[in-house]
Amino acid sequence: MNSVWALLASIALIRTTLSNYLPEKLRLYISARFEEWTRRFNTDETMVFKDYQSSKMNQLFQAANLYPGESLPTISIPRVTVEKTENVRNLTFSMEKNTEMIDVYENIPMKWKYFSEYSQGMSKHEIRWYELSFHKEYKSLVTKCYLPYILERANKIKERNRVVQLHTAAHDFWTPKPVIIQHPMTFETLAMDGNLKKELVEDLDRFMNSKEYYQQIGKVWKRGYLLYGPPGIGKSSLIAAMANHLNFDIYNLNLSAVSSDFVLQNLLLSTANRSILVIEDIDCSIKFQNRESGIEQPIKYQQQNKVTLSGLLNFFDGILSCCGEGKILVATTNYKDRIDPALLRAGRMDMHIYLTYCTFSAFKQLALRYLEISDHSLFHHIQKLLPKVKVSPAEVAGELMKTRDPKASIEGLIKHLEEKLIADGNSEVSPKHHSSLSQTSNCQVHESSISLPLACNGASMDNVKSSGPKPDVSVKSKLTADGEGDNNFEKTDLVRDRSSGHNILQVIEDMEKELLSYKEAIIALQKKLCRTLNKLAEIKATI
């Protein structure tokens, strides 16, 4: 025991002597050589990832903060920190300070340790860092494969846990506190033409998986979509479905609120990677002249324009659009022809998507979602009515939601479509009259300019419902195709009537009443035919 104390005393004396009498450079050299000598007997190597590097957040520290947490719920560790905030979808797990865990990569153990302490001095702040230890023979594998793998996995974890947020521009800047979007619309629940929906989803997925391909061909990794069609047919719902499908934030930009091209450029630069920039009603938010239309833009609009067409074109695919990656631009309009063609070309608007009123394909998707049926005996009525009625998918969905009973729900929708058909000035056309109407549907018809015969295509007036009571007379009255009454009575009929005590004047009055009732029915039919012809002419003009 005395020898041990003697040895320790000798070491302390030697250390004190070296510290007091040897020059500082010599002491540092001896210390370095000693550490190098002891390192030969140590087989592990350690990397340190500090939270901040040169006053900027260290990406490797952020990745290390996310990556180990994915494995923490499945391994045995004494203490684990669990968090859940409104800005993330799932629970997040992280290591408690001064704890360690083992990760296995390519059958090689990787030891992670987490440390935290407060700095000394007047302004105390927390200093955090991770230490990664591994066998030194795997150093090349760690630097070339393991660390890039951690960065990639951390980005995927971040994207998966991130909630979709809505950013709006105010006073030439994006609002500092975005709003969390909780829109439930997805492509599975979106009522849209099946083929068009499939084409759009495939295009989005192909774009997301083509980062390396875009780099290979020398193009900026971005995509542009133009959504156009009548108002109220689901353009905003489609944007929400795109954002939920990609898990991208939405930046909603109103061009009329942007003060200059310079501000527009700054807004573009401050949008995050992997986000959707939306310009709704691009033809209305700012008055851009369609240079191919040949129409001079009013001077008042020229004075009001703060963002120029040139500035917007540079915004779409100029040099500033190269800043960032994975960005998607979506522009909406009700009138595609009002937009300058320069904005619509490939590279700016790569895919043009026309959204129309509810189709039978979209209705079947709604019926499957709301009523859980894929077919019904009343579907053929819907299939006939939908091409004739301008109704949005949201309106159809509203009718289907009124009751859970499939038959009652579809009957209610049929009634709604028929009422809308009548309100729009349409009417059902009998098949036997379809051919004659189609021949005249290329003209704009007015009620005052039409003269109809009393019967068409050999149809007798017995098929025309009179609005008044039909008099009970014994005199035969037949209407010909020319509309003239065949009132040739046999003398024997008059003699028979006179002998039976009937007054001939009463017979004539009854005939006049019957003809007047027929006249009223003809006028009603005439008005209905006029409305039908006008509607057919409008439909043909749009084809």
Side-chain angles (χ1 to χ4, degrees), residues 199-471:
E199 182 181 356
L200 176 58
V201 173
E202 290 177 350
D203 188 82
L204 290 171
D205 293 340
R206 185 166 50 250
F207 168 74
M208 292 305 302
N209 297 325
S210 302
K211 179 180 178 180
E212 291 77 11
Y213 175 72
Y214 274 76
Q215 293 176 346
Q216 179 182 347
I217 63 177
K219 289 181 64 69
V220 181
W221 188 37
K222 65 182 183 66
R223 192 78 172 157
Y225 297 90
L226 175 69
L227 311 182
Y228 67 101
I233 40 81
K235 291 188 281 290
S236 298
S237 297
L238 177 56
I239 294 173
M242 294 172 65
N244 287 329
H245 180 73
L246 300 172
N247 200 27
F248 279 13
D249 281 1
I250 297 177
Y251 289 81
N252 190 48
L253 181 61
N254 182 5
L255 289 179
S256 60
V258 180
S259 60
S260 66
D261 289 344
F262 176 74
V263 172
L264 184 66
Q265 294 173 0
N266 287 337
L267 289 172
L268 174 63
L269 291 175
S270 56
T271 56
N273 292 337
R274 297 173 178 264
S275 61
I276 299 177
L277 177 64
V278 177
I279 305 178
E280 291 192 279
D281 298 322
I282 190 173
D283 59 304
C284 299
S285 59
I286 191 167
K287 301 296 181 181
F288 288 122
Q289 177 186 357
N290 184 343
R291 295 169 296 180
E292 294 188 358
S293 63
I295 301 176
E296 183 82 18
Q297 187 184 40
I299 297 178
K300 62 176 183 178
Y301 287 148
Q302 296 177 7
Q303 296 174 348
Q304 291 174 359
N305 283 357
K306 302 175 183 179
V307 177
T308 64
L309 178 60
S310 175
L312 191 62
L313 294 178
N314 291 329
F315 175 78
F316 281 168
D317 62 355
I319 189 65
L320 292 176
S321 66
C322 303
C323 303
E325 59 181 17
K327 295 183 179 181
I328 291 179
L329 173 65
V330 178
T332 70
T333 178
N334 298 333
Y335 308 99
K336 180 182 176 182
D337 56 340
R338 295 182 182 178
I339 303 177
D340 194 287
L343 294 171
L344 304 179
R345 70 169 180 81
R348 291 166 181 159
M349 295 296 165
D350 302 284
M351 188 174 183
H352 299 184
I353 302 173
Y354 177 66
L355 301 175
T356 184
Y357 294 103
C358 186
T359 62
F360 184 65
S361 173
F363 161 75
K364 293 181 68 175
Q365 298 176 47
L366 290 171
L368 182 62
R369 189 198 321 162
Y370 289 94
L371 304 178
E372 298 181 351
I373 58 174
S374 58
D375 196 11
H376 195 275
S377 59
L378 296 176
F379 272 16
H380 69 282
H381 294 291
I382 304 293
Q383 189 174 11
K384 291 180 180 179
L385 287 171
L386 282 178
K388 305 173 185 178
V389 185
K390 294 180 179 180
V391 57
S392 66
E395 190 174 352
V396 173
E399 291 297 322
L400 295 179
M401 291 176 61
K402 291 182 177 180
T403 175
R404 300 296 298 273
D405 179 61
K407 185 174 184 297
S409 180
I410 296 175
E411 287 178 347
L413 176 60
I414 293 175
K415 181 180 178 181
H416 176 76
L417 294 177
E418 290 176 343
E419 291 175 351
K420 195 174 182 65
L421 193 68
I422 296 174
D424 292 341
N426 299 323
S427 63
E428 291 292 336
V429 181
S430 175
K432 63 183 179 180
H433 293 159
H434 177 73
S435 60
S436 61
L437 289 175
S438 62
Q439 296 173 1
T440 59
S441 62
N442 59 334
C443 303
Q444 183 69 24
V445 184
H446 303 278
E447 293 185 16
S448 59
S449 64
I450 195 167
S451 177
L452 295 177
L454 296 183
C456 301
N457 299 338
S460 66
M461 286 306 298
D462 292 336
N463 296 329
V464 181
K465 295 183 179 180
S466 173
S467 59
K470 184 176 180 179

Side-chain angles (χ1 to χ4, degrees), residues 489-531:
F489 304 107
E490 296 290 340
K491 292 182 178 182
T492 54
D493 294 333
L494 293 177
V495 174
R496 191 183 304 111
D497 290 338
R498 186 178 298 161
S499 62
S500 60
H502 288 286
N503 192 332
I504 187 64
L505 294 177
Q506 183 63 39
V507 174
I508 294 175
E509 291 177 359
D510 293 338
M511 291 177 58
E512 290 176 348
K513 292 179 180 180
E514 183 180 13
L515 292 175
L516 287 174
S517 66
Y518 286 148
K519 180 180 179 181
E520 293 174 358
I522 292 171
I523 293 175
L525 178 62
Q526 180 181 359
K527 292 181 178 179
K528 184 180 293 186
L529 291 175
C530 288
R531 289 194 297 267

Side-chain angles (χ1 to χ4, degrees), residues 109-251:
M110 304 289 181
K111 181 185 293 185
W112 287 92
K113 293 182 180 180
Y114 175 64
F115 299 94
S116 174
E117 64 180 19
Y118 284 90
S119 63
Q120 302 297 326
M122 296 295 294
S123 58
K124 293 185 177 181
H125 62 277
E126 187 180 15
I127 302 174
R128 302 172 298 166
W129 72 93
Y130 282 93
E131 291 185 359
L132 173 63
S133 300
F134 50 88
H135 197 283
K136 60 183 181 182
E137 67 174 307
Y138 301 118
K139 183 177 181 179
S140 178
L141 176 69
V142 170
T143 55
K144 294 181 180 180
C145 300
Y146 185 58
L147 293 182
Y149 168 77
I150 290 176
L151 289 171
E152 182 181 358
R153 287 291 300 275
N155 287 331
K156 291 182 178 179
I157 295 171
K158 185 178 179 181
E159 292 295 328
R160 185 173 65 245
N161 290 340
R162 187 180 65 180
V163 296
V164 178
Q165 295 180 320
L166 174 63
H167 305 256
T168 56
H171 306 294
D172 297 340
F173 297 97
W174 297 113
T175 52
K177 294 184 179 180
V179 180
I180 296 177
I181 300 178
Q182 297 179 339
H183 202 299
M185 183 60 68
T186 64
F187 279 112
E188 288 74 21
T189 59
L190 179 66
M192 184 180 177
D193 180 77
N195 293 331
L196 182 58
K197 181 194 299 187
K198 180 181 178 182
E199 182 181 356
L200 176 58
V201 173
E202 290 177 350
D203 188 82
L204 290 171
D205 293 340
R206 185 166 50 250
F207 168 74
M208 292 305 302
N209 297 325
S210 302
K211 179 180 178 180
E212 291 77 11
Y213 175 72
Y214 274 76
Q215 293 176 346
Q216 179 182 347
I217 63 177
K219 289 181 64 69
V220 181
W221 188 37
K222 65 182 183 66
R223 192 78 172 157
Y225 297 90
L226 175 69
L227 311 182
Y228 67 101
I233 40 81
K235 291 188 281 290
S236 298
S237 297
L238 177 56
I239 294 173
M242 294 172 65
N244 287 329
H245 180 73
L246 300 172
N247 200 27
F248 279 13
D249 281 1
I250 297 177
Y251 289 81

